[in-house]
Amino acid sequence: MVLGNDLHLELGAGGGRRAALIGALRDAVRGGRLAPGTRLPPYRALAADLGVARNTVADAYAELVAEGWLTSRQGSGTRVADRVAAPAPGPVRPASPPPLPYDLVQGKPDPGAFPRAAWLAAARRALTDAPHEAFGIGDPQGRIELRRALVEYLARVRGVRTSPDRIVICSGAAHALRLLAPLLGTAAPWAVEAYGLPFHRGLLAGAGVSTVPVAVDEDGARVGEIPRHAGAVLLTPAHQFPTGGPLHPERRTGVLEWARASGGLVVEDDYDGEFRYDRRPVGAVQGLDPERTVFIGSVSKSLSPALRIGWMCLPSALVDGVVAAKGEREPYASATDQLTLADFLACGAYDRHVRRMRQRHRGRRDRLTAALAERVPGVRVTGIAAGLHAVLKLPPGTEAAALDAAARHGVAVEGLASYRHPEAPAPTHPDGLVVGYATPPERLYGAALDALCDALRDGLRDGT
């Protein structure tokens, strides 16, 4: 057996094999298919693959080395020469604007905070212990190891009542909504919070589901305003996104009373549920009535959005429909990542990481609050001490000017108005900025706060 890296070449039917091989290699280099530095197969391996004599390949390589197309050194093999001209560029695409130096956009954890060593250790254990069938097509409901680990973790930390057969693994909240929307049908609208992610509203609209806004205040959504004819209500009760208030206990029971009376469904997006800093996080609404609530969670904020792992804890009547909607060859959540997360949860590494992140995020929120109090006293942080973002209350009419000033100072940040439902009545919240304090690396966070304060001072002056 002759071993070597593969190389696809078309030699054609006519002419000598040596000349055809030289021409094919020149074309592959000239066209950019073989980039500078690419290592070519050894003589014997390429000769065996192409069905030509070894000397034919050796002679072709030698000629191309002499012409400067290839290089050959002892121990390094034969490679495409670095000085070979690259192919002519195609049409130039318009350049995207460069990112601003200070990223304070909400919803993005610091990529540098990912617990690589602990995750690698969990991956090694998980892959060592994984059964052979784990590397097959798999179960669209998700790996049983992860579903079992989630049952224990969510019961202990979030007060969720479920079982492995009622959990479906997905890639996050957006994927969950994509699965639920067609299953619940388009005849009845969904009630959604008047302030929330436009992406989620757009996703529902794309599925043919209309949405009606429900006002929010410091106690969360005003659930008494949910229309009786709504088929579902989408809430962020742990930490209303983006305004920051938790759903009041009376409203928690109130939304379930609505669901029982109307036959509707409560869809609970556990946004930031684990990151409460001033006291212990409140439990999930789902724990009060698992048969009327879909609980959605993910690791996109706690670990990394790159993992693409989320979950739904479903009423028993919805499980089969959601699994069928996913299909037999689920393309989103890697089985090996699911196995690793199961180990990461079971060994306590996830708890330890979340506790570290709580301390870090709380410190950053405190620094933000202190900087504003000292340097821009006309702006204050609102909402509970939780999550990866804060809303800054601005004087009326200054939001647009503050955003313009932020861009001039190199700060990427978003306005509160961009999260308001287009059909919501008169704004229930004043002008504001939604500031994500988790993303910047530690070395840049102080400079980001300085730039934000400078921008706010300019924005308040320009907007008045």
Side-chain angles (χ1 to χ4, degrees):
M1 178 182 297
V2 179
L3 301 178
N5 47 328
D6 290 339
L7 175 60
H8 174 74
L9 293 172
E10 295 285 351
L11 299 188
R17 307 304 279 167
R18 176 179 174 278
L21 176 56
I22 290 173
L25 286 168
R26 281 200 197 105
D27 289 344
V29 174
R30 187 185 296 116
R33 189 163 66 85
L34 293 179
T38 300
R39 184 169 183 166
L40 301 184
Y43 303 152
R44 292 178 60 201
L46 186 58
D49 289 345
L50 298 178
V52 301
R54 177 181 178 278
N55 286 342
T56 300
V57 177
D59 290 347
Y61 279 10
E63 181 163 332
L64 292 172
V65 167
E67 293 176 0
W69 293 91
L70 305 178
T71 63
S72 180
R73 290 196 301 271
Q74 185 71 28
S76 181
T78 303
R79 297 178 182 270
V80 177
D82 290 337
R83 61 178 176 271
V84 173
V92 178
R93 297 178 60 186
S96 300
L100 296 175
Y102 306 115
D103 187 355
L104 295 179
V105 174
Q106 64 78 29
K108 299 185 292 183
D110 176 8
F114 185 80
R116 300 188 189 200
W119 184 261
L120 179 60
R124 285 173 173 158
R125 290 190 299 267
L127 293 177
T128 299
D129 297 339
H132 295 320
E133 54 86 13
F135 302 95
I137 292 175
D139 184 349
Q141 190 165 352
R143 290 298 308 177
I144 185 62
E145 296 90 342
L146 178 55
R147 288 185 279 130
R148 286 172 178 159
L150 285 169
V151 168
E152 187 278 331
Y153 176 78
L154 294 174
R156 173 170 54 83
V157 174
R158 304 295 300 119
V160 169
R161 292 190 290 147
T162 190
S163 57
D165 59 306
R166 291 172 54 174
I167 293 179
V168 175
I169 303 302
C170 58
S171 66
H175 186 207
L177 294 179
R178 287 191 179 97
L179 295 170
L180 286 172
L183 185 63
L184 299 183
T186 60
W190 284 36
V192 298
E193 294 161 328
Y195 286 85
L197 282 171
F199 173 63
H200 287 173
R201 295 195 296 264
L203 187 153
L204 293 173
V209 178
S210 61
T211 58
V212 292
V214 176
V216 297
D217 57 28
E218 64 275 8
D219 291 325
R222 298 176 183 170
V223 300
E225 301 176 12
I226 300 173
R228 189 177 180 88
H229 67 281
V233 58
L234 175 61
L235 299 175
T236 52
H239 181 215
Q240 200 287 320
F241 179 83
T243 61
L247 191 63
H248 190 276
E250 290 183 3
R251 295 184 182 182
R252 288 168 169 258
T253 57
V255 73
L256 292 173
E257 289 171 0
W258 165 85
R260 295 169 192 138
S262 66
L265 187 70
V266 178
V267 180
E268 179 177 11
D269 181 358
D270 195 42
Y271 188 91
D272 286 343
E274 295 153 318
F275 292 111
R276 181 78 183 261
Y277 313 130
D278 55 349
R279 66 191 69 176
R280 290 183 61 83
V282 294
V285 171
Q286 188 268 3
L288 301 175
D289 193 340
E291 289 300 329
R292 296 249 54 99
T293 309
V294 174
F295 178 89
I296 299 172
S298 78
V299 297
S300 64
K301 307 297 185 296
S302 56
L303 282 172
S304 168
L307 291 177
R308 310 304 303 144
I309 298 181
W311 49 84
M312 288 182 280
C313 302
L314 294 159
S316 54
L318 291 181
V319 174
D320 289 344
V322 170
V323 172
K326 283 187 69 179
E328 290 299 319
R329 293 178 181 265
E330 201 282 305
Y332 296 95
S334 158
T336 54
D337 283 345
Q338 291 183 57
L339 291 168
T340 302
L341 179 57
D343 184 280
F344 203 71
L345 287 163
C347 75
Y350 188 75
D351 287 84
R352 292 189 291 273
H353 174 71
V354 168
R355 285 196 295 270
R356 284 194 298 271
M357 290 299 99
R358 281 195 194 120
Q359 293 175 351
R360 176 174 179 171
H361 298 332
R362 177 171 189 165
R364 289 196 169 196
R365 191 180 192 278
D366 290 346
R367 289 173 65 185
L368 170 64
T369 303
L372 293 172
E374 177 183 352
R375 300 173 58 183
V376 199
V379 176
R380 66 180 181 88
V381 175
T382 63
I384 61 173
L388 280 66
H389 77 279
V391 173
L392 310 188
K393 182 178 179 180
L394 302 177
T398 61
E399 182 175 311
L403 288 171
D404 289 343
R408 293 196 303 271
H409 284 268
V411 180
V413 69
E414 296 171 315
L416 183 59
S418 65
Y419 292 94
R420 181 170 166 259
H421 193 292
E423 297 175 14
T428 56
H429 284 71
D431 289 19
L433 296 184
V434 181
V435 175
Y437 44 74
T439 303
E442 191 61 33
R443 61 184 175 80
L444 292 180
Y445 187 60
L449 289 182
D450 290 342
L452 175 65
C453 290
D454 291 344
L456 286 170
R457 284 201 299 264
D458 291 353
L460 296 189
R461 183 189 64 243
D462 296 343
T464 54

